[in-house]
């Protein structure tokens, strides 16, 4: 009687133990659980089969006779077979059958972050050089002589000129600018940026000032001071930005670190590029000279309306003094509404705004894009309540020119030079 389970009997001819020839059963070569006795000279002791794998519980496997298969298939002596394993084909033990490696998410995330950072860095550097190349560095402050000592903080002289440069006849008519040749200063402000917050000081264009000795910006010739008094905006008309800086420094004893100028067209273009500036106008006013016609209340001004707003003076009892207050109010609102995530992080809005502004700005030769950015955020700080805005203190007039209050001016300049909190008032 055959004691082997079904399938363990001889081959089809009844002459062997399986499908293979000779005395070696096929199962011993194909199943990793079954191990043949070691070949002669091989001293390794093989562990016994577990009872569950035995052909018959309690039975013993008869010794097998080697017919040379151990030498020919030496690699099978340990019971290893190709393509096998008892783990269901999961080579990595991670549940992904068929030998697929687990996705390396950590590495993918790392390279994604690196790629994004590199792209942003390249874009930022490219934007910086693009914007820096647009600045018109035309004012040479090295030509300014007899300058006061530098104080703490940074002082910017911000000038709005009535330049019609680049404007068509239609634009001049639309913006109510007139067609006067050359350019004059329409507004002048000193912005001090220091550790105690920014201070914005408007200099009325009708301020009475003395023209000091100066060196001509084009001729290089020195002109001695004669004690001549005139309006502040006349200094700009006489010899441009360099003489204006020289005159402001001589009459205030405050060192000007940087100069920034923008014309009519540039101002209007910036406002239109950001989609307008929201203003709260407390009282309605109208002025045929500037084209202003504003109702009271909150409203969004476009470029044309904004230019009319900052130029209007005939509609106010305080004339130029009231106009400077509106200029401060508008410029602060412009800076505050421009420096928002919606503008800074949106390239489709940021680049038009920067292009509109940088193309029309005239600055000193030492002004960097970083300096300009600091000025911009200092202006924004005035609106956010971090700083103070005021007019130059006035003591009276002398036939149409406004006279500065010398005592208050001295105290103001001392506080600015020492970077102290400004306590001087305009009144």
């Amino acid at each position: 009687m055959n004691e082997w389970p079904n399938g363990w009997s001889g081959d089809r001819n009844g002459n062997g133990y399986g499908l293979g020839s000779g005395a070696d059963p096929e199962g011993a070569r194909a199943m990793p659980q079954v191990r043949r006795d070691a070949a002669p000279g091989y001293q390794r002791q093989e562990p016994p089969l577990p009872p569950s794998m035995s052909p018959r519980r309690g039975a013993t496997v008869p010794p097998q006779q080697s017919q040379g298969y151990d030498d020919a298939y030496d690699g099978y002596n340990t019971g290893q077979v190709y393509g096998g394993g008892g783990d269901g084909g999961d080579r990595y033990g991670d549940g992904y059958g068929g030998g697929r490696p687990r996705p390396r998410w950590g590495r993918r995330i790392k390279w994604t972050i690196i790629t994004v950072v590199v792209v942003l860095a390249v874009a930022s550097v490219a934007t910086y050089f693009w914007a820096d190349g647009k600045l018109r560095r035309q004012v040479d402050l090295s030509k300014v002589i007899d300058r006061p000592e530098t104080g703490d903080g940074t002082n910017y002289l911000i000038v709005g000129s009535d330049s019609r440069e680049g404007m068509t006849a239609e634009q001049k008519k639309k913006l109510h600018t007139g067609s006067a040749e050359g350019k004059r200063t329409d507004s002048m402000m000193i912005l001090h940026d220091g550790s105690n917050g920014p201070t914005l000081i408007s200099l009325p264009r009708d301020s009475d000032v003395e023209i000091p000795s100066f060196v001509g910006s084009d001729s290089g010739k020195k002109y001695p001071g004669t004690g001549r008094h005139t309006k502040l905006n006349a200094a700009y008309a006489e010899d441009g930005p360099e003489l204006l800086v020289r005159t402001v420094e001589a009459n205030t004893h405050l060192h000007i670190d940087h100069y920034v100028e923008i014309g009519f067209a540039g101002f209007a273009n910036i406002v239109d590029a950001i989609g307008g500036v929201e203003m709260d106008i407390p009282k309605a006013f109208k002025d045929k000279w500037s084209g202003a016609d504003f109702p009271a209340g909150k409203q969004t001004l476009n470029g044309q309306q904004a230019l009319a707003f900052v130029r209007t003076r005939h509609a106010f009892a305080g004339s130029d003094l009231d106009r400077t207050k509106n200029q401060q109010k508008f410029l602060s609102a412009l800076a505050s509404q421009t420096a928002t995530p919606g503008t800074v992080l949106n390239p489709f809005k940021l680049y038009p705004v920067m292009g509109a502004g940088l193309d029309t700005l005239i600055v000193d030769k030492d002004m960097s894009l970083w300096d300009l950015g600091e000025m911009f955020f200092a202006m924004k700080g005035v609106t956010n309540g971090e700083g103070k805005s005021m007019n130059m203190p006035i003591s009276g007039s002398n036939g149409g020119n406004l006279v500065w209050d010398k005592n208050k001016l001295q105290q103001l300049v001392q506080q600015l030079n020492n970077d102290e909190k400004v306590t001087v008032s305009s009144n």
Side-chain angles (χ1 to χ4, degrees), residues 209-221:
V209 294
E210 179 180 342
I211 300 296
S213 59
F214 68 96
V215 174
S217 57
D218 293 328
S219 65
K221 179 182 177 181

Side-chain angles (χ1 to χ4, degrees), residues 380-401:
K380 179 182 179 181
V382 175
T383 302
N384 295 343
E386 301 172 3
K388 178 176 182 176
S389 62
M390 58 182 291
N391 279 326
M392 179 64 74
I394 304 297
S395 61
S397 64
N398 58 0
N401 294 352

Side-chain angles (χ1 to χ4, degrees), residues 128-175:
Y128 181 89
F129 283 102
W130 168 80
D132 189 70
K134 280 183 168 290
L135 282 178
R136 301 167 63 185
R137 297 181 174 90
Q138 300 178 0
V139 180
D140 189 357
L141 295 183
S142 67
K143 296 180 180 179
V144 181
I145 62 172
D146 302 331
R147 309 191 68 183
E149 293 183 3
T150 302
D152 295 330
T154 305
N155 298 317
Y156 301 86
L157 181 59
I158 305 172
V159 175
S161 75
D162 63 359
S163 171
R164 283 85 172 168
E165 180 183 358
M167 296 177 64
T168 64
E170 184 179 353
Q171 288 175 318
K172 293 176 183 177
K173 182 179 179 180
K174 180 181 178 181
L175 298 176

Side-chain angles (χ1 to χ4, degrees), residues 61 86 133 219 248 268 312 336 347 406:
V61 179
S219 65
V248 169
T312 298
S336 179
K406 292 183 178 180

Side-chain angles (χ1 to χ4, degrees), residues 247-277:
T247 303
V248 169
E249 289 187 343
N251 285 268
T252 63
H253 303 289
L254 187 68
H255 184 91
I256 300 299
D257 298 291
H258 292 294
Y259 177 92
V260 181
E261 176 187 328
I262 188 169
F264 282 161
F267 182 82
N269 289 340
I270 292 175
V271 175
D272 284 335
I274 66 170
V277 175

Side-chain angles (χ1 to χ4, degrees), residues 104-118:
R104 304 180 70 175
W105 293 109
R107 186 174 183 180
R108 293 182 183 181
I109 293 173
K110 179 184 73 173
W111 281 109
T112 300
I113 293 174
I114 291 175
T115 301
V116 171
V117 170
V118 170

